[in-house]
Amino acid sequence: MKLSIAALLLAASVQGQTFEPGNFSDGTKLVDPVSGGTLYLSNGLQAVAVGNSGNPVVLADDSEAAEYHPNCDGGASFPQEDGGHIYVSNSEYGSYPDDLSGGVYALTFDGENNLKSYQQLLSGTAKNCHGGETPWGTWVSCEETRDNGRCWQADNHSSGKRLVDPTGAKSPARTAVTGQSMDGSNAGEHFGNWEAFAWDADDNKGYVTNDDYPGNPSFPDDPTYSYQGAVLRFSPDETALACLDAENDEDKWCALESGTVEYLKITPSESGTGGTFEWVSDKNDANPELYAATEGAHVENGIFTFSTIVDRYLFQLDLANGTYTRSAVPFPFEPDNLRLLGDVVYLCTDADDTPGDALWRWDDKGASRMFYEVGHSYPAGVDFTADKMSMYVSLYGDATYRITRTDGLAFDADPKSITYEVNGGVADGKTHEEIADEVNAVNASLETDSTEEAEATEETAEADDTPASDDTPTTEAPPSSATRAAGTFVGAIAATMLL
């Protein structure tokens, strides 16, 4: 039987693949020059820091832009007409009312991935956590501050101050997606720890997550307290929907300026792995205690996906049928930002600075880490460029990275091999406790090995009478103990599966 040219090319490309999620045997790592934290990459991945917090951003022409923002959190990639793209990143910094030094920033790249500019898009805000993009090219940035939190809309290529029109660009402005009026007169009733925003372009509705929850140790002991942490659905009214018919993108902003807000109420099935849901107008009728502290959000093909950090679940709501599934995430850390690429869920963990936070790739066969960190803080803001050739992700306390495959293939090209570090898929019905048993051993190993590596580095430095770390990022193989920890889950890793 003769193979077609297309089949031969496909076979050749698969044979030449280097990307193997979950396999860390190559020992590729990136050392942050400021914190000394280490980013361990799966085989076949390479990374470059495009911005280090507190350091000037170096552009492609070797000129320096402003210092990169601190606490880089949620973000997204926007394609541009010239073939380039813009990566937008929140700064979860500051606090109301005295320190409004958070905001939104943008890195602009040309079609050859050369960094051309870095600028601030939104200022005068605080604790800008995550958010989400709109089809008309804006970024909705949500503040995680219970007594002042709003969601703001910013142009992905504008620059300027909050509510001050910049020259030649549209001004950033508040939105009504959390129930606040545009003049702010009812804002106090609708403040919250807003996290992520997702827009359903098929049904023209917006969804907002909130990581507050009943039983939170800081939750006011007051039955009339209104910030329960319920997930919101924003439905534009007729005036707002008419904005979507505008010819220019800047005239579509008003789609988020008026409408109604409803709250998620779920009814679990006996199995606990799913059930039905509805949207209720009275927030007191919602039951956020059953999906406590929601984080990342994504809507695609009629499915609304979000994560929760208290019980650590992934919820997937079928918006047309009113049903949902609930699955325990494949790690004991808190699931934070997320992004779907085809049938694969990419999940960032937040372990409150515990070593071993990671970006996980999760499909219907199991879960594998894309990378893990030691000495940074948690990853956030994962997204892909339109051609899927680059993946962006930030380490909250340190830097934003552009990650690519060394085989030159796109991230939506199936890897030749995957080490499923946690067996079982999204709908396998495993409890979180069962998954935690599989994963806890490797987290203990990571802590032990990172301590051993630090001690070995210190001993070497003392022997050589040289500094323990370089002043510039390095890519090299880690000590064998770290390689063993990265490549082996004690009693948990399945055999590598060939696709």
Side-chain angles (χ1 to χ4, degrees):
M1 179 180 68
K2 290 185 177 180
L3 291 175
S4 67
I5 293 178
L8 288 170
L9 289 174
L10 177 61
S13 67
V14 169
Q15 203 168 36
Q17 284 190 30
T18 59
F19 175 41
E20 301 179 57
N23 188 344
F24 294 84
S25 61
D26 287 351
T28 303
K29 68 178 182 179
L30 193 69
V31 179
D32 186 84
V34 178
S35 70
T38 305
L39 191 67
Y40 293 91
L41 300 168
S42 288
N43 289 2
L45 290 183
Q46 55 193 358
V48 59
V50 294
N52 290 91
S53 296
N55 288 345
V57 173
V58 179
L59 305 180
D61 62 3
D62 291 328
S63 63
E64 292 186 349
E67 289 185 358
Y68 200 61
H69 56 282
N71 296 5
C72 34
D73 206 302
S77 176
F78 292 84
Q80 300 299 295
E81 292 181 358
D82 64 359
H85 60 277
I86 295 174
Y87 182 74
V88 169
S89 175
N90 279 348
S91 176
E92 192 180 4
Y93 201 73
S95 61
Y96 278 92
D98 299 323
D99 182 9
L100 305 183
S101 56
V104 179
Y105 296 79
L107 294 158
T108 301
F109 299 85
D110 65 18
E112 301 299 321
N113 294 315
N114 296 311
L115 181 55
K116 305 303 291 185
S117 69
Y118 169 70
Q119 60 183 344
Q120 187 169 11
L121 305 184
L122 171 67
S123 65
T125 59
K127 294 290 185 183
N128 296 75
C129 189
H130 198 29
E133 61 268 40
T134 69
W136 50 94
T138 60
W139 169 251
V140 176
S141 178
C142 297
E143 295 172 299
E144 185 187 0
T145 171
R146 176 182 292 140
D147 296 322
N148 294 93
R150 304 169 174 85
C151 290
W152 301 87
Q153 187 171 199
D155 191 344
N156 69 60
H157 59 271
S158 70
S159 62
K161 302 295 184 181
R162 183 185 76 179
L163 301 179
V164 177
D165 284 322
T167 302
K170 189 173 174 65
S171 169
R174 73 172 76 234
T175 69
V177 297
T178 60
Q180 298 175 20
S181 59
M182 292 301 291
D183 62 6
S185 59
N186 70 339
E189 302 172 28
H190 301 278
F191 287 142
N193 278 9
W194 309 122
E195 283 286 338
F197 170 85
W199 181 260
D200 181 4
D202 294 329
D203 201 27
N204 290 326
K205 296 186 188 300
Y207 298 87
V208 185
T209 56
N210 184 337
D211 77 353
D212 215 340
Y213 60 96
N216 188 332
S218 62
F219 195 88
D221 185 17
D222 181 353
T224 65
Y225 180 64
S226 62
Y227 317 140
Q228 293 103 326
V231 169
L232 307 184
R233 180 177 74 172
F234 170 76
S235 300
D237 58 22
E238 290 186 11
T239 301
L241 286 173
C243 297
L244 297 176
D245 296 327
E247 182 176 349
N248 299 318
D249 282 345
E250 60 265 27
D251 295 326
K252 297 179 181 180
W253 285 43
C254 51
L256 302 184
E257 293 182 356
S258 58
T260 57
V261 167
E262 296 167 292
Y263 307 89
L264 178 62
K265 181 177 182 178
I266 65 173
T267 302
S269 62
E270 289 186 6
S271 68
T273 60
T276 61
F277 70 89
E278 60 184 310
W279 300 98
V280 296
S281 57
D282 186 346
K283 66 181 67 176
N284 293 308
D285 289 338
N287 49 8
E289 66 276 6
L290 298 183
Y291 51 87
T294 53
E295 288 276 348
H298 185 103
V299 174
E300 191 169 0
N301 298 325
I303 303 297
F304 171 33
T305 302
F306 65 86
S307 58
T308 68
I309 61 175
V310 172
D311 296 316
R312 299 186 289 283
Y313 285 111
L314 186 78
F315 282 78
Q316 294 189 294
L317 277 58
D318 186 324
L319 297 173
N321 294 323
T323 59
Y324 74 91
T325 60
R326 189 194 74 171
S327 306
V329 300
F331 40 76
F333 295 160
E334 297 175 356
D336 202 305
N337 292 186
L338 61 84
R339 180 70 65 181
L340 272 66
L341 188 58
D343 294 327
V344 180
V345 182
Y346 291 85
L347 273 167
C348 299
T349 74
D350 178 1
D352 297 322
D353 299 326
T354 300
D357 267 322
L359 172 64
W360 288 80
R361 180 192 186 279
W362 190 11
D363 62 20
D364 60 356
K365 298 182 181 67
S368 307
R369 289 172 296 173
M370 302 284 284
F371 64 75
Y372 72 91
E373 60 78 30
V374 174
H376 290 80
S377 55
Y378 66 89
V382 59
D383 198 14
F384 300 87
T385 51
D387 60 7
K388 310 301 186 292
M389 297 299 294
S390 297
M391 176 176 68
Y392 284 93
V393 68
S394 294
L395 269 295
Y396 179 84
D398 293 301
T400 294
Y401 295 91
R402 184 168 67 89
I403 300 176
T404 55
R405 293 173 54 157
T406 58
D407 53 24
L409 297 178
F411 278 98
D412 56 355
D414 285 337
K416 181 178 69 173
S417 60
I418 302 175
T419 299
Y420 284 106
E421 299 178 281
V422 177
N423 291 311
V426 172
D428 67 357
K430 278 190 177 181
T431 67
H432 179 262
E433 287 73 19
E434 290 171 330
I435 291 175
D437 287 343
E438 294 180 353
V439 180
N440 278 333
V442 75
N443 294 324
S445 297
L446 285 174
E447 290 191 46
T448 299
D449 287 331
S450 64
T451 300
E452 291 176 354
E453 180 177 352
E455 291 174 350
T457 302
E458 185 176 347
E459 290 174 2
T460 302
E462 290 175 354
D464 295 341
D465 195 27
T466 58
S469 62
D470 296 329
D471 293 330
T472 56
T474 59
T475 301
E476 58 187 58
S480 57
S481 61
T483 302
R484 291 195 302 273
T488 306
F489 268 78
V490 180
I493 295 184
T496 299
M497 302 183 68
L498 299 180
L499 299 183

